[in-house]
Amino acid sequence: MWRFAGAGIDEGRRLIEAALDAGVTLFDTADIYGFDGSGGFGDAEALLGQVFAESPGLRDRMVLATKGGITPPVPYDSSPAYLAHALDASLARLGVDQVDLYQIHRPDLLTHPQEAARALEDAVTAGKVRAVGVSNYTPDQVRALAAVLTIPLASHQPEFSPLHLDPLVNGVFDQAMELDLAILAWSPLGGGRLGDPQDARGQAVATVLDRKAAESGASRAAVIYSWIMAHPARPIPIVGTQKVERIAELGQAHAIAWSRQDWYDVLVAARGERLP
């Protein structure tokens, strides 16, 4: 829901209904979504809250996730006082008493893990949050937080796509499988670069993807989502499109089967070199 703030209430409801019809159940937003550098902080949450007010039944059909901890103009704040304030503000904008998942959006280097843990635990104890997670953390930062939490971490939201492979090799996916964390992969299409590749690497990846798309009768985007979901960490692609016709393609991802050869062909193209 990063770009959701630009829609009106009717269009917003149409996008949500299209996603639900396509089988999407997780809706990921954040208080920073809508911020354009000078204003708009909270706009994506506020629009979603307006949609809920007009169509309250939609809330019950989704897993609702939001994030806090980015505080323009100061970058990050995960102190208990700030996160408590940020969560209450998010709930007010959304018009709900509870979210299903609350994640710290980016690690605050000035907050001790024990302080961040207390903020997350307090939110769950107060009934404002059902589960907690993090976003853009390193494995060591996840480990430090998990060690002092009395409740389990449920999720980690890193960037991952065929053009951003770091979680495969930096321990993020390995740790997710070790701790049974849900992976929410943001920017799965490479920030749009795989839709319209402008360099040799992107074009090489697109060529392999299009071969699979032709074989499976699916769109290139659906093939990418399927490739991401094929990893045993079971990543959940966070889709950012605001076009109903693109949302309708999402269900295709579940019908695509990957052989090891096909999956690794994409990885080799993405790496730009043979595997060792």
Side-chain angles (χ1 to χ4, degrees), residues 30-51:
D31 55 10
I32 192 72
Y33 291 171
F35 184 67
D36 63 4
S38 60
F41 187 89
D43 279 4
E45 288 181 326
L47 175 58
L48 185 54
Q50 292 167 352
V51 172

Side-chain angles (χ1 to χ4, degrees), residues 97-114:
D97 296 324
Q98 183 187 68
V99 292
D100 299 303
L101 176 65
Y102 190 71
Q103 297 180 117
I104 297 177
H105 205 153
R106 287 190 179 271
D108 171 22
L109 301 180
L110 296 180
T111 294
H112 193 284
Q114 290 177 332

Side-chain angles (χ1 to χ4, degrees), residues 25-238:
T25 55
L26 172 66
F27 288 75
D28 171 70
T29 189
D31 55 10
I32 192 72
Y33 291 171
F35 184 67
D36 63 4
S38 60
F41 187 89
D43 279 4
E45 288 181 326
L47 175 58
L48 185 54
Q50 292 167 352
V51 172
F52 287 158
E54 288 202 356
S55 304
L58 292 178
R59 167 65 185 99
D60 297 331
R61 298 173 62 191
M62 66 175 64
V63 176
L64 178 60
T66 194
K67 300 181 289 293
I70 300 179
T71 60
V74 176
Y76 313 127
D77 190 343
S78 295
S79 65
Y82 178 76
L83 285 183
H85 164 76
L87 174 58
D88 284 344
S90 289
L91 294 174
R93 284 188 290 265
L94 291 165
V96 300
D97 296 324
Q98 183 187 68
V99 292
D100 299 303
L101 176 65
Y102 190 71
Q103 297 180 117
I104 297 177
H105 205 153
R106 287 190 179 271
D108 171 22
L109 301 180
L110 296 180
T111 294
H112 193 284
Q114 290 177 332
E115 294 182 283
R118 187 171 85 244
L120 295 175
E121 290 165 348
D122 288 349
V124 172
T125 299
K128 298 175 182 180
V129 173
R130 291 182 60 200
V132 298
V134 295
S135 179
N136 302 297
Y137 270 47
T138 68
D140 283 341
Q141 289 169 334
V142 171
R143 189 173 297 110
L145 179 59
V148 293
L149 272 170
T150 60
I151 55 177
L153 281 174
S155 64
H156 187 186
Q157 186 163 340
E159 180 179 3
F160 180 64
S161 76
L163 297 183
H164 188 90
L165 301 170
D166 290 3
L168 290 175
V169 295
N170 66 6
V172 166
F173 280 7
D174 298 311
Q175 183 180 64
M177 292 184 285
E178 175 189 2
L179 301 180
D180 194 26
L181 301 178
I183 288 289
L184 280 56
W186 64 267
S187 202
L189 303 184
R193 289 175 293 153
L194 284 171
D196 182 23
Q198 299 294 313
D199 58 22
R201 182 188 178 209
Q203 290 167 2
V205 174
T207 296
V208 179
L209 293 169
D210 287 347
R211 187 167 67 228
K212 187 68 175 180
E215 170 193 310
S216 58
S219 69
R220 183 190 298 171
V223 169
I224 296 169
Y225 303 142
S226 179
W227 184 83
I228 288 171
M229 293 189 296
H231 189 278
R234 298 175 297 170
I236 301 164
I238 300 298

